[in-house]
Amino acid sequence: MRQFQTEHELHRRRRSRNVGLGLVLAAFVALVFALTVVKVRQGDLMEAFDHQPRTSIVPQDEASE
């Protein structure tokens, strides 16, 4: 039977770098998610660019009042 070899130092260092990178990526995803949640909750302030005139910036005609 073949015995398991001890883990090489290179593999330990690579694994620790991978874990660190994974934590950084998870933190980035959490940040983007949090910003998205905040933006969605402030939905009344959002105006999307959909090639339509926005009534909030179109000047009102004095004659129509």
Side-chain angles (χ1 to χ4, degrees):
M1 270 197 187
R2 181 179 165 157
Q3 292 183 349
F4 291 109
Q5 294 179 351
T6 58
E7 188 176 42
H8 195 271
E9 180 196 357
L10 180 66
H11 293 121
R12 278 192 303 260
R13 283 190 285 163
R14 187 177 295 157
R15 180 177 293 123
S16 68
R17 271 188 252 142
N18 287 342
V19 168
L21 182 61
L23 291 174
V24 168
L25 288 174
F28 178 72
V29 167
L31 176 68
V32 169
F33 179 73
L35 290 173
T36 302
V37 168
V38 168
K39 200 71 164 151
V40 167
R41 287 187 184 213
Q42 296 175 351
D44 58 336
L45 302 176
M46 288 192 308
E47 292 185 7
F49 181 71
D50 55 1
H51 303 285
Q52 298 294 324
R54 294 185 288 174
T55 58
S56 62
I57 62 171
V58 174
Q60 294 180 350
D61 292 333
E62 292 179 15
S64 65
E65 291 180 0

